Amino acid sequence: MKKLYPIKLCLLMFFALCTLTTYAQTGSISGKIVDESKLPIPGASVQVDGTQKLTVSDSDGNFRLTGLTSGTYTLTAKYIGFASLKQTVTVGTTNVVANFNLKGEQTNLNEVIVVGYGTQTKREVTGAISKVSGDKLTSLPTPSFEASLQGQAAGVQVTQGSGLAGSGSVIRIRGIGSISAGGDPLYVVDGIPITADPFISGNRGAMNQNPLATINPNDIESVEILKDAGAAGIYGSRGANGVILITTKRGKTGKPKISLSTKYGLSTYANRPEFVTGSEWLQLRQEAWTNDGNTGLAPLPGGLTLAQAQQNNTDWWDILTQTGKSNDQAISFSQGTDKIKTYISANYSDNESFLKGNSYERYGFRTNFDIKPTSYFSTSINVGYDKGTNQRVNAAWGGGLGEAMSTALPIYPVYNADGTFFSNGANPARNLGLLDWKTRNSRLLAGVVMELKPIKNLSLKGSFNMDNLDVQDNIFTPASLNNSTIGNATLYPTKIFNRTFSGTATYDWLISDKHKVTTLIGTESQFSYRNSYPNGINGPANEPFSENKENLYAAMQNLANSNSLLYYSGNGRDTFASLFARINYSYDNKYYLQVLARRDGSSKFGPENKYGYFPAASASWYISQEDFLKDNKVISNLKLRASYGLVGSSNFPSAQYYQQFQFSGSYNGQPVLFPTNVANPSLRWEEGRNMDLGLDFGLFKDRITGEFSYYRKTTKGALINGGISPSTGFGSGYLNVGEILNEGVELSLNTTNIQSKNFKWVTRLNVSKNYNEVVSLDGLTPDAVGGGTNDTRIAEGYPIGTNFLVRFKGVDPNDGLPIWLDKDGFETKTFSLDNRVPVGKILPDYVGGLTNTFSFKGFELNTLFTFAIGGNLYDASAKRQLGVVTDWNIRTDIANRWRKPGDIADFPRLTMSPGTYDGLSSEWQYNSTMFLYDATFVRLREVTLSYALPANFANKLRLQNLRLFATGMNLLTFSKYPGGDPEIARDFENPQDRNMSPNVTYLTTPQQKSITFGLSTSF
């Protein structure tokens, strides 16, 4: 046997030499595939012609082919929407570099769209997604970035709250699907689900306390709005109201680049209600006094005599308003190599509203780093910090401009004869410069993402993110406003902590040049809680607590001694634990299929309903890629898509399924513990069943492009806070009842009307129609849930929050008294709340936006009209401005009132006694269709004229570019509504109120009209 050892050794050496020889005779080809903008193209295929060797580019556009023997090869690079490109290379014993620069055929289909936990090209998208670029968000000086989404996306209704600095907006994506649960979409910034609840620190003018106002719009690269289950379903239990994905800017490959933006603006109110003068108000009051059968002079409020009142004609609106000034500065630095990309920005803005004393000051910075030390490992580090200081003023029902529209009468003077402030009636001028109300929001958004590619086409990604929000609401009332010897300070501190971890694995499997499968599996956990003093900390002080900590500690000690200091640590504690998966399959660049599923577990629900399962499927078919349409000269793109799936909503307060208790006050010297809610261990998710059908099209080489969609959303097990037995000791409790339907159509249309060498005219139109109905309430009556103080209810067969009013038929010409309709539609002269019925349309029939962009050489004119057609607006303040004459201001439209027999009038005869109108017990109960108006309006939301200097001139200034611009916002409004601004979103009381009162106004501050001048440049 030993004689065989030399033979074995020789054979081993022979095979080793063969192996080395083979290795020496093979080489590889590597390179990068980019588009015309030098951006990488992931997923592009590279094939060696005449062989089966095929590979695809990774997320950075890189590819590699190995195991090639020496020789000359022809490579073909392909990617759908780009012209294929061939390149001949010679392979030796080393690596050969072959880069491809593909030119787009249909560039709109190659646009990268951010989806949940990843990106896709527009061609690959099978769900309903609208994308808004970041430059659209910075063009307008809105109080917060989300208001700039108005008119930009079909199916997305954006109602800006008011003209108050820092105020929020109400956004509804494809209707209202919840009653008592929140109806707002989920906001996700760079993968972080963030806190966006305007009620996080209580109800103290919530529309002016907007957590989103801290986000710097200059840092936003794009916003993707996920509308159907095929797109939002990956977010499972939080996707029922849609998802808004916010992607911030990142460093790009190239030389260092510094960008600057500076803006200055002036603002005033867009619209205002018109009120009668002092002398007119006195005449109307005297007329009402006489109509009631009285003689002599009518008594006046405020302790004024007629002679004193006749001396005054105070314009309170003018006293409380000003020409607001805005100042917005932003700077950013961008640089990138193959190993590291950097984006650093800083911003400062100080925006005064047209209300004196009201402003929002914000500053912050952001750093985004993308580091790739090796070809198989990369990491991203994102840190954003913003701090906003909202100098607030009383508004709406709280006073200020609300008083100028209500109880601050024109007959009241500002000052008494001795120079002191008039105080026998409303005098909002007293607060100017005295009330110190500041809300400070500090937000830290930070995250780390690590990606490992252990083998070809496999990506493992892990991320840890945090969203810390610190809200400090400081209110200081000086002694002069307190009518005491010392002032009063109050602090409402709230800190919200939000932690998110996610891990995903993605595998791209290119089965052949026609079959491609991408699989994503992942897990995510989210933990959030807040620390707060829900009743605040208050006590005597001569300055705000934020300026004197000793006074704060003394007030805390006094409250603690009386068992009145309430502190919650870990309040609203929520935990989400999720598993999700998504499979995308494409065949021959024509057929696309996506299947996804998510399982969410939430601490908000009891053991029986702890987990929810949310599957969804979507598909698309590129009809234009079929042979019968491939070379069609009219149809350049035709895509049919469909989706169906389940999504959920758990957007309601935590800890409702079990009994809660709270300490407050004392009894016999001992603290009192009492229950605060009704336990319901059967609480479960709201379940949304969403169906979507869409047709995307392009005509005449995409000179005309657009999308048409039909959707149907059904909410099962809707959450309501109400409808429980009074025997429980509580007025309301959370229940799963009812079914809600939202059904509608959307159209987006983009046309290039004229395109020549120097001139281009582009039009963008989006319009949507939504039908909303409460299909079932499981037997509950309309009064089971009320819309705050807004005269709205829920009723089967009607929209959520429909107006619940007595129908006004008209004015009797003989006696001037109002004529009403009872429940059965018969006329009656007796007013009764028992005759209230669901009336009107709370949602408009159509909403949308029309944009026209005209470009001539370096000049560009951009106009945006937003509109709402149909629907009704209910003016809850008009019942005191146009009804019974009391101590409120009166609008000028009262001119069309009954004065003598035979008059045909809009309003009944004036009276100072509610009882004159038979059955009316109080002017506050005057809930009728008399104050229900047509809500149709068209608004010139934006007009921007800009000029970009020629590149050669900018280069002489050592600049890459220089753009000068002027922007007008809300310059024109067309509406039949006589009460001021027709776009309303009143100061809601809670999330339920936001859902049920979308068409109710009550002393709402109108939006601002502004002109802004600025420039942007980079070097």
Side-chain angles (χ1 to χ4, degrees):
M1 295 295 293
K2 291 182 179 181
K3 295 180 180 180
L4 295 176
Y5 287 149
I7 299 175
K8 291 181 177 179
L9 181 59
C10 290
L11 290 173
L12 181 61
M13 293 177 65
F14 174 78
F15 285 119
L17 288 171
C18 290
T19 304
L20 290 172
T21 302
T22 303
Y23 179 78
Q25 292 176 346
T26 61
S28 62
I29 304 173
S30 65
K32 190 168 187 175
I33 305 175
V34 298
D35 61 16
E36 293 170 289
S37 301
K38 307 301 181 183
L39 296 176
I41 303 177
S45 66
V46 181
Q47 185 171 15
V48 180
D49 288 4
T51 73
Q52 296 298 315
K53 280 194 171 294
L54 178 73
T55 189
V56 294
S57 57
D58 62 16
S59 59
D60 296 318
N62 298 314
F63 73 91
R64 187 178 182 86
L65 291 163
T66 59
L68 298 169
T69 58
S70 299
T72 300
Y73 298 92
T74 299
L75 307 181
T76 301
K78 294 181 180 180
Y79 192 70
I80 192 67
F82 289 87
S84 61
L85 186 62
K86 292 182 181 293
Q87 187 175 163
T88 301
V89 296
T90 300
V91 176
T93 58
T94 59
N95 181 68
V96 177
V97 176
N99 295 320
F100 290 87
N101 190 338
L102 301 187
K103 294 183 178 181
E105 292 178 330
Q106 293 176 308
T107 55
N108 63 317
L109 299 181
N110 305 321
E111 183 181 13
V112 176
I113 304 295
V114 178
V115 297
Y117 308 98
T119 60
Q120 296 175 350
T121 63
K122 189 173 182 180
R123 172 176 289 275
E124 296 170 319
V125 169
T126 56
I129 301 177
S130 293
K131 180 175 181 177
V132 180
S133 59
D135 61 309
K136 300 292 192 301
L137 306 179
T138 56
S139 60
L140 290 177
T142 54
S144 186
F145 82 90
E146 76 278 7
S148 295
L149 294 173
Q150 187 182 83
Q152 301 288 354
V156 182
Q157 183 181 8
V158 181
T159 305
Q160 186 174 319
S162 69
L164 290 164
S167 64
S169 298
V170 177
I171 295 184
R172 293 294 179 262
I173 298 175
R174 292 185 165 182
I176 306 172
S178 297
I179 299 174
S180 298
D184 298 322
L186 172 69
Y187 292 87
V188 180
V189 178
D190 291 335
I192 310 173
I194 65 169
T195 301
D197 182 8
F199 301 99
I200 52 178
S201 60
N203 178 27
R204 289 180 299 281
M207 283 302 293
N208 196 27
Q209 177 47 47
N210 177 25
L212 297 175
T214 58
I215 296 176
N216 176 24
N218 295 289
D219 284 336
I220 298 176
E221 180 72 25
S222 68
V223 170
E224 271 83 359
I225 304 170
L226 315 184
K227 298 185 287 188
D228 71 335
I234 195 67
Y235 288 96
S237 65
R238 292 170 289 181
N241 299 315
V243 181
I244 294 181
L245 302 180
I246 302 159
T247 304
T248 60
K249 295 177 180 178
R250 314 201 71 80
K252 292 179 173 59
T253 303
K255 297 179 181 179
K257 178 180 178 181
I258 296 177
S259 299
L260 297 172
S261 171
T262 180
K263 301 176 187 176
Y264 296 91
L266 303 173
S267 65
T268 184
Y269 47 84
N271 305 82
R272 59 161 292 181
E274 295 297 332
F275 297 98
V276 300
T277 64
S279 59
E280 291 169 339
W281 190 91
L282 290 171
Q283 292 172 6
L284 293 171
R285 187 173 179 88
Q286 187 64 41
E287 180 181 325
W289 176 258
T290 304
N291 285 346
D292 291 341
N294 301 303
T295 58
L297 296 176
L300 299 178
L304 298 177
T305 65
L306 179 61
Q308 292 172 326
Q310 288 175 334
Q311 295 176 9
N312 302 315
N313 184 28
T314 306
D315 188 344
W316 294 103
W317 188 286
D318 184 64
I319 290 173
L320 297 175
T321 60
Q322 63 182 359
T323 298
K325 300 177 179 64
S326 64
N327 171 17
D328 190 297
Q329 312 297 323
I331 183 171
S332 66
F333 169 83
S334 175
Q335 182 185 25
T337 66
D338 291 339
K339 297 294 184 182
I340 183 170
K341 296 180 177 66
T342 304
Y343 174 82
I344 301 174
S345 73
N347 71 91
Y348 172 81
S349 65
D350 186 10
N351 298 315
E352 291 180 340
S353 78
F354 58 83
L355 291 180
K356 290 181 180 178
N358 178 223
S359 65
Y360 191 90
E361 182 182 33
R362 180 186 63 224
Y363 65 85
F365 70 88
R366 172 166 285 277
T367 59
N368 289 343
F369 296 102
D370 298 306
I371 306 169
K372 190 174 184 180
T374 70
S375 61
Y376 55 85
F377 177 76
S378 62
T379 183
S380 299
I381 302 172
N382 313 311
V383 179
Y385 175 81
D386 291 279
K387 183 173 183 177
T389 300
N390 193 349
Q391 181 69 57
R392 303 176 66 173
V393 293
N394 287 323
W397 45 264
L401 196 65
E403 286 185 328
M405 292 186 279
S406 57
T407 55
L409 299 176
I411 64 171
Y412 291 163
V414 179
Y415 300 100
N416 295 314
D418 59 1
T420 60
F421 277 112
F422 173 75
S423 58
N424 287 340
N427 187 348
R430 292 182 64 209
N431 286 354
L432 290 177
L434 293 178
L435 178 67
D436 188 346
W437 185 6
K438 289 187 178 71
T439 302
R440 295 181 174 90
N441 287 355
S442 300
R443 176 167 237 152
L444 175 65
L445 280 171
V448 177
V449 181
M450 291 178 287
E451 184 176 13
L452 178 66
K453 298 180 178 179
I455 61 174
K456 183 179 178 181
N457 298 334
L458 176 63
S459 170
L460 305 177
K461 186 180 292 186
S463 65
F464 174 77
N465 303 299
M466 67 169 61
D467 174 20
N468 289 354
L469 182 60
D470 185 359
V471 181
Q472 302 287 322
D473 196 7
N474 283 276
I475 305 173
F476 173 67
T477 307
S480 56
L481 287 181
N482 268 351
N483 294 322
S484 64
T485 58
I486 191 169
N488 183 270
T490 306
L491 172 64
Y492 296 92
T494 305
K495 294 184 178 182
I496 300 96
F497 302 91
N498 185 5
R499 304 286 183 269
T500 305
F501 169 80
S502 66
T504 61
T506 305
Y507 185 73
D508 292 318
W509 182 20
L510 189 64
I511 303 173
S512 70
D513 60 344
K514 290 188 176 183
H515 299 270
K516 180 184 176 183
V517 176
T518 299
T519 303
L520 167 76
I521 59 172
T523 180
E524 184 175 65
S525 63
Q526 182 176 0
F527 175 64
S528 61
Y529 65 94
R530 68 187 63 180
N531 298 335
S532 64
Y533 293 83
N535 295 335
I537 304 166
N538 64 83
N542 287 318
E543 56 188 336
F545 283 149
S546 59
E547 308 297 331
N548 191 321
K549 298 298 182 182
E550 292 184 1
N551 288 341
L552 172 63
Y553 300 145
M556 295 176 69
Q557 186 62 53
N558 290 334
L559 292 172
N561 292 338
S562 62
N563 294 319
S564 300
L565 183 64
L566 182 61
Y567 173 67
Y568 284 159
S569 176
N571 183 36
R573 189 181 298 266
D574 293 336
T575 302
F576 277 90
S578 308
L579 298 172
F580 54 88
R582 179 173 60 207
I583 299 175
N584 292 87
Y585 168 73
S586 64
Y587 172 72
D588 199 21
N589 297 322
K590 292 188 292 187
Y591 310 103
Y592 293 84
L593 174 65
Q594 175 179 281
V595 179
L596 61 85
R598 182 169 180 130
R599 188 196 76 159
D600 277 328
S602 172
S603 62
K604 290 186 176 182
F605 301 98
E608 297 177 2
N609 299 297
K610 185 69 67 179
Y611 296 96
Y613 298 86
F614 306 97
S618 56
S620 65
W621 173 28
Y622 274 91
I623 308 173
S624 54
Q625 292 294 312
E626 298 291 353
D627 292 339
F628 59 85
L629 278 180
K630 202 165 189 178
D631 298 320
N632 191 284
K633 294 183 179 180
V634 176
I635 300 175
S636 50
N637 177 46
L638 192 62
K639 173 184 175 182
L640 180 66
R641 54 181 169 80
S643 69
Y644 182 82
L646 304 184
V647 287
S649 175
S650 55
N651 193 0
F652 75 107
S654 61
Q656 296 299 316
Y657 77 86
Y658 59 83
Q659 189 77 65
Q660 298 180 70
F661 295 87
Q662 175 181 311
F663 281 105
S664 181
S666 62
Y667 176 77
N668 197 23
Q670 298 297 319
V672 175
L673 180 67
F674 62 92
T676 60
N677 72 313
V678 177
N680 182 2
S682 298
L683 276 181
R684 65 183 188 277
W685 315 83
E686 285 188 343
E687 182 184 273
R689 301 180 181 182
N690 292 5
M691 186 268 287
D692 179 84
L693 294 174
L695 184 69
D696 303 350
F697 57 88
L699 306 175
F700 306 108
K701 295 183 178 180
D702 285 355
R703 287 286 295 268
I704 301 174
T705 62
E707 300 177 9
F708 178 80
S709 297
Y710 164 79
Y711 62 87
R712 183 181 177 89
K713 299 167 51 177
T714 303
T715 302
K716 299 281 189 178
L719 284 162
I720 70 164
N721 186 19
I724 64 173
S725 172
S727 62
T728 62
F730 295 90
S732 62
Y734 279 92
L735 304 168
N736 287 102
V737 298
E739 179 180 334
I740 302 167
L741 171 67
N742 282 282
E743 186 176 27
V745 292
E746 302 168 355
L747 173 66
S748 297
L749 189 64
N750 309 303
T751 63
T752 302
N753 306 313
I754 299 175
Q755 185 168 11
S756 63
K757 181 179 179 181
N758 294 321
F759 181 72
K760 187 177 182 180
W761 172 22
V762 176
T763 299
R764 301 197 317 270
L765 168 69
N766 72 82
V767 61
S768 58
K769 176 180 175 62
N770 181 77
Y771 173 77
N772 178 265
E773 179 186 340
V774 178
V775 178
S776 172
L777 282 176
D778 293 345
L780 294 179
T781 67
D783 283 318
V785 178
T789 58
N790 296 332
D791 307 317
T792 58
R793 298 292 187 271
I794 54 172
E796 291 184 359
Y798 294 90
I800 292 174
T802 189
N803 299 113
F804 202 56
L805 305 168
V806 178
R807 289 170 291 179
F808 173 63
K809 177 65 183 300
V811 177
D812 188 335
N814 297 316
D815 56 16
L817 294 176
I819 302 172
W820 314 100
L821 297 179
D822 64 16
K823 279 187 174 183
D824 298 319
F826 295 105
E827 294 183 3
T828 177
K829 285 286 195 71
T830 302
F831 181 89
S832 173
L833 293 179
D834 291 336
N835 288 326
R836 291 172 300 166
V837 295
V839 291
K841 295 181 179 179
I842 66 164
L843 295 176
D845 294 326
Y846 300 93
V847 295
L850 175 65
T851 301
N852 280 283
T853 303
F854 305 89
S855 305
F856 178 72
K857 295 185 177 181
F859 290 93
E860 182 177 280
L861 175 65
N862 187 78
T863 63
L864 168 63
F865 284 90
T866 58
F867 56 85
I869 301 174
N872 295 103
L873 179 161
Y874 180 66
D875 193 339
S877 48
K879 60 186 178 185
R880 297 213 59 185
Q881 295 169 339
L882 296 172
V884 180
V885 178
T886 59
D887 59 345
W888 270 47
N889 277 295
I890 303 173
R891 293 213 312 244
T892 55
D893 31 326
I894 198 66
N896 193 8
R897 66 188 183 278
W898 185 94
R899 302 187 191 184
K900 62 183 185 302
D903 282 351
I904 305 299
D906 291 335
F907 299 101
R909 73 183 192 188
L910 296 182
T911 180
M912 291 176 57
S913 173
T916 300
Y917 307 151
D918 186 32
L920 182 63
S921 60
S922 164
E923 61 271 16
W924 291 108
Q925 301 299 318
Y926 204 18
N927 304 329
S928 73
T929 59
M930 186 185 300
F931 313 113
L932 194 65
Y933 296 91
D934 182 357
T936 298
F937 74 89
V938 177
R939 168 165 273 163
L940 180 56
R941 179 68 167 170
E942 176 195 353
V943 55
T944 297
L945 178 63
S946 64
Y947 177 66
L949 271 68
N952 56 357
F953 183 80
N955 293 337
K956 290 180 181 179
L957 300 176
R958 297 186 178 182
L959 302 174
Q960 293 183 13
N961 56 65
L962 178 62
R963 177 175 175 265
L964 309 174
F965 59 89
T967 298
M969 184 176 76
N970 295 339
L971 296 184
L972 297 172
T973 304
F974 305 95
S975 170
K976 294 181 179 180
Y977 172 56
D981 198 330
E983 184 181 345
I984 56 170
R986 66 149 292 177
D987 213 350
F988 302 112
E989 298 185 7
N990 49 52
Q992 177 175 291
D993 203 16
R994 282 168 72 91
N995 290 329
M996 295 186 61
S997 306
N999 73 326
V1000 176
T1001 180
Y1002 183 77
L1003 304 176
T1004 305
T1005 302
Q1007 294 193 41
Q1008 71 174 16
K1009 173 169 59 179
S1010 66
I1011 298 178
T1012 304
F1013 303 92
L1015 65 85
S1016 60
T1017 185
S1018 60
F1019 54 89

